[in-house]
């Protein structure tokens, strides 16, 4: 009788508090919580909606966990009812790390993290001020939680464009011109953006000054295609969607591996030039960059593969023409060129490149919307297996006879 009365009183208090009640299994034990504390009781899955009804410090509230396999820029530590996300390399040349405290809604805030921004999870309202996160939200089934984006024009994800057309999203801008008033009005529990480490361009300082909950994403700093895509897992941490992220990314990694294996045994590898001249220098990807990895995995021979740089390398025009004059394939990777006329209009010397003479110039802007937003930098980043398929088709068309190019097209 006393037990029934206590249960009823507890339920009344919960209803009065307006909190979503979560039933905790009583008999499941023995799950290791990963780094940090151990939980003696475990849920069947992470709480993707609602808050804890009655906090139990012995419960592991995150039975579904992720860890980076390819990415080097982040790690996460699980502690029963909170997670600690650390970003090692948020931008090129960064001398600081960023740490975020993700606390299960309904649980107390742990001590010792006074300097780390605290975000309750699962997040219910999110603003994405970088289009690379939009495929993450789509794949994880979270687009209904999206309330604002940076620029409508740049977006290609079909489901997000439908939301824009329906008036369901706000346009907040980015950089120092970001409209914090719009963001405050839509009241996001999280704003995801990226940074260059330059106060003249970065968005996050102004967002933090306005008191908005901000987290950086830095997949663009990774040196492998799968490492860039694995930041899907970072996005999942804020929504307790680790199980779904593991499944989605696992499928991508498997398909990428199968594609790379298909091209691994090729007898001949075409030599490949990448990039274009900008002002007075030609910037090519470093030999340890993500795009150099793409070329190698697709069965190509990148001309600067021996270089150890992970970023881009500025070279004199004369140096590039000397090394790359006989390259078999040229991938300019510029959003401006749509036809062969653009090649010579940029610089008549391009006509002396063997790849131009052979008609072997392929640009990555086949999927550009009417406002100039290039889907290669959005859906392409989230689907490296399909980008790799495009490159294999270019370098070794006989290996994928039925594949139709998605992001690359021939400038002829």
């Amino acid at each position: 009788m006393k037990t029934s009365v206590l249960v009823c009183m507890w339920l009344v208090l919960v209803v009065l508090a307006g909190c979503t009640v979560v039933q905790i299994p009583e008999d499941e034990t023995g799950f290791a919580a990963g780094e940090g504390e151990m939980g003696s009781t475990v849920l069947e899955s992470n709480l993707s909606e609602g808050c804890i009804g009655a906090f139990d410090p012995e419960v592991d509230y995150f039975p579904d966990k992720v860890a980076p396999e390819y990415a080097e820029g982040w790690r996460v530590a699980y502690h029963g009812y909170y997670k600690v996300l650390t970003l090692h390399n948020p931008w090129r040349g960064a001398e600081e790390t960023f740490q975020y405290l993700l606390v299960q809604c309904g649980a107390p805030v742990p001590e010792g993290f006074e300097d780390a921004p605290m975000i309750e999870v699962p997040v219910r309202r999110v603003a994405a001020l970088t289009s690379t996160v939009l495929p993450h939200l789509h794949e994880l089934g979270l687009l209904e939680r999206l309330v604002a984006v940076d620029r409508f024009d740049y977006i290609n994800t079909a489901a997000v464009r439908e939301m824009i057309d329906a008036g369901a999203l706000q346009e907040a801008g980015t950089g120092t011109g970001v409209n914090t008033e719009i963001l405050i009005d839509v009241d996001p529990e999280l704003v995801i953006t990226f940074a260059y480490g330059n106060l003249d361009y970065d968005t996050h300082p102004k967002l933090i000054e306005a008191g908005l909950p901000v987290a950086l994403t830095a997949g663009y700093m990774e040196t492998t295609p799968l490492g860039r895509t694995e930041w899907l897992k970072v996005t999942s941490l804020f929504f307790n969607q680790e199980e779904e992220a593991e499944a989605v990314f696992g499928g991508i990694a498997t398909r990428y591996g199968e594609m790379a294996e298909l091209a691994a045994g090729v007898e001949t590898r075409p030599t490949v030039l990448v990039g274009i001249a900008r002002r007075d220098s030609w910037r090519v990807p470093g030999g340890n960059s993500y795009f150099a990895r793409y070329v190698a995995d697709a069965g190509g021979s990148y001309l600067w593969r021996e270089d150890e740089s992970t970023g881009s390398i500025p070279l004199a025009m004369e140096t590039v023409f000397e090394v790359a004059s006989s390259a078999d394939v040229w991938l300019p990777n510029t959003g401006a060129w749509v036809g062969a006329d653009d090649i010579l209009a940029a610089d008549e010397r391009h006509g002396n490149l063997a790849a131009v003479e052979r008609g072997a110039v392929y640009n990555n802007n086949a999927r550009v919307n009417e406002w100039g937003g290039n889907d290669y930098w959005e859906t392409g980043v989230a689907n490296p297996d399909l980008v790799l398929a495009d490159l294999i088709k270019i370098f070794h068309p006989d290996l994928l006879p039925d594949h139709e190019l998605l992001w690359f097209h021939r400038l002829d």
Side-chain angles (χ1 to χ4, degrees):
M1 181 68 178
K2 292 181 179 179
T3 301
S4 299
V5 171
L6 289 172
V7 169
C8 290
M9 292 177 64
W10 177 77
L11 288 172
V12 170
L13 289 173
V14 169
V15 171
L16 290 175
C19 184
T20 303
V21 179
V22 178
Q23 297 295 328
I24 307 299
E26 298 180 356
D27 297 325
E28 299 180 29
T29 60
F31 191 93
E35 290 188 58
E37 301 166 6
M38 304 290 286
S40 61
T41 305
V42 64
L43 302 180
E44 292 183 358
S45 60
N46 294 357
L47 305 176
S48 59
E49 296 183 9
C51 298
I52 300 170
F55 173 68
D56 182 348
E58 297 301 313
V59 172
D60 177 11
Y61 290 96
F62 308 118
D64 303 320
K65 298 172 172 60
V66 293
E69 299 174 59
Y70 302 89
E72 298 179 350
W74 64 274
R75 67 178 174 86
V76 59
Y78 289 86
H79 300 266
Y81 63 95
Y82 66 94
K83 322 169 193 178
V84 180
L85 170 63
T86 303
L87 307 189
H88 304 299
N89 195 25
W91 57 76
R92 196 164 306 285
E95 297 180 354
E96 58 183 310
T97 60
F98 281 73
Q99 200 167 71
Y100 303 98
L101 177 65
L102 281 57
V103 181
Q104 173 60 48
C105 181
V109 178
E111 298 180 354
F113 296 93
E114 288 75 16
D115 295 332
M118 193 279 286
I119 298 170
E120 277 194 338
V121 295
V123 166
R124 293 168 296 178
R125 298 172 63 80
V126 60
L129 303 189
T130 168
S131 61
T132 58
V133 173
L134 299 178
H136 298 175
L137 299 177
H138 179 61
E139 291 292 341
L140 296 174
L142 297 168
L143 282 182
E144 75 280 357
R145 305 189 191 192
L146 183 65
V147 295
V149 295
D150 52 353
R151 290 280 304 276
F152 288 165
D153 291 355
Y154 295 156
I155 293 172
N156 284 272
T157 300
V160 180
R161 292 233 57 96
E162 291 177 4
M163 296 174 70
I164 293 171
D165 293 341
L169 296 177
Q170 292 295 316
E171 184 179 39
T174 188
T176 56
V178 65
N179 192 323
T180 55
E181 293 182 0
I182 287 178
L183 291 173
I184 291 171
D185 286 343
V186 297
D187 193 25
E189 296 177 344
L190 173 66
V191 181
I192 303 177
T193 186
F194 68 100
Y196 296 108
N198 187 326
L199 293 178
D200 293 332
Y201 297 97
D202 287 346
T203 307
H204 67 283
K206 189 172 181 179
L207 299 176
I208 294 171
E209 183 181 355
L212 290 159
V214 185
L216 294 180
T217 186
Y220 79 98
M221 289 297 298
E222 296 292 338
T223 59
T224 65
L226 286 176
R228 289 159 66 93
T229 304
E230 198 171 20
W231 281 72
L232 163 75
K233 295 181 182 179
V234 175
T235 302
S236 77
L237 293 171
F238 297 99
F239 303 90
N240 290 350
Q241 289 280 6
E242 284 96 327
E243 182 179 20
E244 184 67 19
E246 280 285 5
V248 172
F249 180 76
I252 292 170
T254 297
R255 293 189 296 273
Y256 188 97
E258 291 171 349
M259 285 289 171
E261 182 65 26
L262 182 66
V266 295
E267 295 183 2
T268 59
R269 290 175 171 259
T271 52
V272 181
L273 168 65
V274 180
I276 61 170
R278 299 184 185 278
R279 297 178 181 172
D280 294 327
S281 67
W282 192 306
R283 305 190 73 89
V284 301
N288 283 328
S289 66
Y290 85 95
F291 201 82
R293 180 62 178 271
Y294 260 141
V295 173
D297 287 346
S301 178
Y302 180 48
L303 290 173
W304 280 270
R305 62 188 177 279
E306 302 299 329
D307 177 84
E308 297 182 356
S309 304
T310 57
S312 60
I313 315 165
L315 298 174
M317 290 281 289
E318 293 73 15
T319 301
V320 173
F321 279 107
E322 180 180 347
V323 175
S325 61
S326 61
D328 297 311
V329 178
W330 180 16
L331 306 173
N333 290 357
T334 173
W337 296 359
V338 295
D341 291 345
D342 296 320
I343 301 173
L344 298 181
D347 194 316
E348 291 185 356
R349 290 175 294 177
H350 290 154
N352 297 323
L353 296 173
V356 175
E357 295 176 351
R358 299 191 189 107
V361 182
Y362 294 83
N363 205 8
N364 64 348
N365 61 348
R367 293 165 64 97
V368 175
N369 66 27
E370 59 187 294
W371 302 282
N374 190 345
D375 193 47
Y376 175 84
W377 302 111
E378 187 174 332
T379 313
V381 174
N383 294 274
D385 53 318
L386 298 179
V387 174
L388 185 61
D390 268 14
L391 294 174
I392 293 175
K393 179 70 173 184
I394 293 170
F395 301 159
H396 305 283
D398 55 314
L399 293 180
L400 292 174
D402 298 326
H403 178 73
E404 298 289 337
L405 295 179
L406 294 172
W407 289 283
F408 288 84
H409 66 114
R410 183 180 176 183
L411 300 185
D412 59 9

